[in-house]
Amino acid sequence: MTTPDSTTDRSFARLRAVGRRLLDHPLPWLAPTLVLLAVFQLYPMVEAVLMSFTNESLVSPDTEFVGIEQYARLATDPQFWEMLRVTAIYAFSSVVLHVLLGLVLALAIDYGVRRGLRGHLTTRVSVLLAWIVPGIIIGLVWKVMLVESQFGAINYLLGLVGVGPVPFRSDPTLALISTIVAGTWRGTAFSMIMIYGGLQRVPQRLYEAARVDGAGRWNRFRHVTLPQLKSVLFVTIVLVTIYALNTFDLIFALTGGGPGRSTQVLALFMYQEAFQDNALGRGASIAVVMLVANLALTAVYLYAFDVSEEI
Amino acid sequence: MTDEHTHDFRHTHEHRRDSHGDTPPTRSSGVATVAASRRVATDGGQPRRRSETGVALELTDVTKTYGEAATAVENLSVSLREGELLVLVGPSGCGKSTTLRMIAGLEEPTSGDIRIDGESVLGLEPEARNTAMVFQNYALYPHMTARQNIGFGLRMTTSLSDEEVAAEVESAAETLDVTELLDATPDSMSGGQQQRVALGRAIVRDPSVFLLDEPLSNLDATLRARMRTEIQQLQRELGVTTVYVTHDQTEAMTMGDRVAVLSDGEIQQVAPPMNCYHEPANLFVAQFVGEPSMNTLAMRNGRDSFTGPVDYPVVDPLADAAHGVDRVTIGVRPEDISVEPEADDAETTLPARVDVTEPVGERSFVHATLDGGPSVTAAVEGSAGVRERDQVGLRLPPDRLHLFDTDSGEAIHHPDRESATAAFGPV
């Protein structure tokens, strides 16, 4: 006989079993992240892609579907290609400089720490300070430092040795170099922190084994350090690339894209199209191009580094 | 699989021994030729110089201090004959690993001298010392295959061509029976397999001195026992001078030609293993070597008897040895104690109560508390025949006692080894 009580007990037990099975499933654990990603990343992304196929504007209520018109317009705009070139130069130099300088700094600090030398904490903190200052401030600081008269700190110093004043922000080439230098000054900290973290994970015993195996300094770096840093370098390069491709604040404050369009990167262009010309559709199409560029480069790195096993 | 059977090393490594000799090798085997050509490449055509005296490795008054306070190794002197296996054994922190690392060149001694093949290696980088080392956790390069791991040292230190390196690697792999693993990376290998590859990486270098830092401590018990035998066999076949560091006294007792017992950075005794067991130089060695360790009773030297927590008669041959020493410690190996059903009147039989008996197969350990206070352990054949809380008599035969000067810890008397009646050796 089944009493009502035992039926209730049994259904409770069944409920508990379902609950337990649910907790064993990865989904409940992934759900919060998935929801956040969907609401704050995926939805805006889809919306931007959709917007890029319209002529939506901030000032006109009429929005029409215009197909690939915005893309066709970009493709035929010589200025767009020029901006793409500037962006590419900026991003490529940034990646190379950030990662190389970050590696050098990280190796120096790691060496200092392992040797028990003084000053490594000061170095780390001061490099990190550059990173935590907002880009817009950094842009302004550099703008002040690069003022093209004796009142600019750098031109003043150059003046002391009889050079200048140098047109850091009014000469097209120098302006681009200035943005790259300012960006590197700021961004190197990030690479350094990442790579330093990676270096600390390299077991000391591998270096000892390599020393006993007869590997000198360079060979230990080449055959132990670099392979051990591979996955960290991969992540760093991907993040620095994305960061550099999307740089907006620093350039906005330092040169505003000028002189002319010599430092006009895509992120700046997107901002101007969408919020100065109020053409959301055009801005969205640039955003989509940037997204594709980011994805494509990440794919290239993934292939080049062959880190599938480690990530 | 690789771990499952032992292997005869003699075959593949015959040529290596010859290449150590004073006459150039005249082998026709391809691998041997490679080895010979490597000698030519690295030593400028001269056969490797060995010390005239047959001493391959010599440490003289080696001291290592860290800062003001910490002394890791103090005035350590020991020398190894060519081909000898010396085990450095001691509790953790005794300086044994530091000593090994100083020989390898990973650390420099604060003072003293280290000579390999008669020449001081102080100040030389590890690669210039011609030593090879096996690390406790193997320290294989995780991003390299076994082949690359084994060949790395050759590529770094010799001018061998890729083919010659490959041949040497194959030969070492064959010796250690890891040929099938050559293209695997360390993360896909078991501990035992990684161990073999690490050994391969060391022997392929054909070093003057082979350094092993607790190589078996990460293996399970069965594998450890097997690798112990294999490493011994390998070392004999290669005839390479070896320093083996361990905290495991079983390894120390079974593997070494000689054992150096270290404590607090100082050598307590250097002797063949059985000498350390039968004639420990001091209390530390006495208690460190042997399992279960030697029982000790700190006593005062009265005229007719040693007095302390218990009394024990001063009989021959103890009387002469203990003469003039006020505070003595009696040492007796567990296997030298016999357990009597109850205390008789003999003064050498001490009444005690059994705390625990531990049967460990063919013998049993009886842990008992003497009526005077201290606990002692006896090892008896078969099952103990006594139970917990039984009152028994523990007979300490006078001719089986060690005596130590309590103040200095130095041994002042050992029993005559010939008189040993116990059925069991150490371990």
Side-chain angles (χ1 to χ4, degrees), chain B residues 87 97 172 182 267 348 370 404:
Chain B
V87 176
S97 283
L182 277 177
I267 285 193
T348 54
L370 294 177
F404 302 89

Side-chain angles (χ1 to χ4, degrees), chain B residues 304-386:
Chain B
D304 302 318
S305 62
F306 297 118
T307 58
V310 291
D311 289 352
Y312 192 86
V314 180
V315 292
D316 279 337
L318 305 177
D320 284 352
H323 184 74
V325 183
D326 185 34
R327 282 148 48 81
V328 296
T329 296
I330 291 179
V332 57
R333 293 274 175 208
E335 52 271 31
D336 290 331
I337 298 178
S338 52
V339 180
E340 312 291 343
E342 56 192 69
D344 52 21
D345 290 338
E347 289 176 296
T348 54
T349 304
L350 305 173
R353 198 179 65 145
V354 177
D355 296 321
V356 178
T357 62
E358 288 180 323
V360 290
E362 63 180 14
R363 59 177 174 166
S364 303
F365 301 138
V366 178
H367 303 280
T369 304
L370 294 177
D371 285 358
S375 306
V376 295
T377 301
V380 298
E381 211 171 341
S383 62
V386 292

Side-chain angles (χ1 to χ4, degrees), chain A residues 90-290:
Chain A
Y90 179 83
F92 177 76
S93 331
S94 296
V95 172
V96 171
L97 290 173
H98 290 203
V99 174
L100 274 187
L101 290 177
L103 181 64
V104 169
L105 276 176
L107 285 171
I109 292 174
D110 187 57
Y111 181 83
V113 170
R114 289 189 197 231
R115 286 292 169 102
L117 304 181
R118 286 151 167 263
H120 57 82
L121 188 66
T122 322
T123 316
R124 252 186 301 173
V125 170
S126 49
V127 175
L128 199 59
L129 276 180
W131 189 51
I132 59 173
V133 176
I136 199 108
I137 310 268
I138 303 224
L140 289 173
V141 168
W142 278 83
K143 189 175 181 175
V144 172
M145 288 204 298
L146 294 175
V147 165
E148 292 165 16
S149 71
Q150 288 297 315
F151 300 110
I154 294 181
N155 266 318
Y156 170 74
L157 290 174
L158 286 176
L160 291 182
V161 293
V163 181
V166 178
F168 287 115
R169 290 172 47 249
S170 56
D171 176 86
T173 312
L174 281 180
L176 185 55
I177 293 176
S178 297
T179 56
I180 293 170
V181 169
T184 303
W185 181 80
R186 181 197 187 197
T188 295
F190 175 75
S191 307
M192 180 208 79
I193 296 291
M194 293 285 287
I195 296 171
Y196 179 66
L199 282 175
Q200 288 189 304
R201 281 173 34 212
V202 182
Q204 190 66 33
R205 60 196 155 88
L206 292 187
Y207 290 117
E208 294 183 344
R211 284 179 70 193
V212 175
D213 266 342
R217 215 174 276 281
W218 164 251
N219 276 320
R220 291 201 295 274
F221 176 73
R222 167 74 189 76
H223 294 288
V224 178
T225 313
L226 273 189
Q228 289 286 303
L229 282 182
K230 193 168 82 168
S231 55
V232 168
L233 283 175
F234 168 76
V235 172
T236 308
I237 290 179
V238 166
L239 292 177
V240 171
T241 304
I242 292 173
Y243 174 76
L245 276 179
N246 301 342
T247 303
F248 167 76
D249 49 1
L250 187 138
I251 299 178
F252 181 75
L254 182 58
T255 64
R261 291 184 178 278
S262 58
T263 56
Q264 179 88 316
V265 289
L266 282 180
L268 210 54
F269 183 42
M270 175 185 72
Y271 169 79
Q272 285 166 351
E273 291 283 76
F275 300 109
Q276 285 177 357
D277 293 356
N278 299 320
L280 289 183
R282 282 190 338 229
S285 65
I286 301 168
V288 172
V289 169
M290 289 170 62

Side-chain angles (χ1 to χ4, degrees), chain B residues 399-422:
Chain B
D399 62 345
R400 299 303 310 147
L401 296 194
H402 300 256
L403 285 186
F404 302 89
D405 180 333
T406 309
D407 295 316
S408 67
E410 298 300 319
I412 49 181
H413 170 77
H414 294 298
D416 189 357
R417 277 171 79 163
E418 302 307 316
S419 78
T421 48

Side-chain angles (χ1 to χ4, degrees), chain B residues 164-200:
Chain B
E164 289 166 328
V165 169
E168 291 278 303
V169 170
E170 293 281 344
S171 151
E174 216 173 292
T175 303
L176 285 153
D177 202 13
V178 290
T179 309
E180 327 84 273
L181 295 174
L182 277 177
D183 293 311
T185 49
D187 57 1
S188 62
M189 296 177 204
S190 71
Q193 292 170 332
Q194 292 189 36
Q195 163 85 82
R196 283 166 189 276
V197 174
L199 283 168

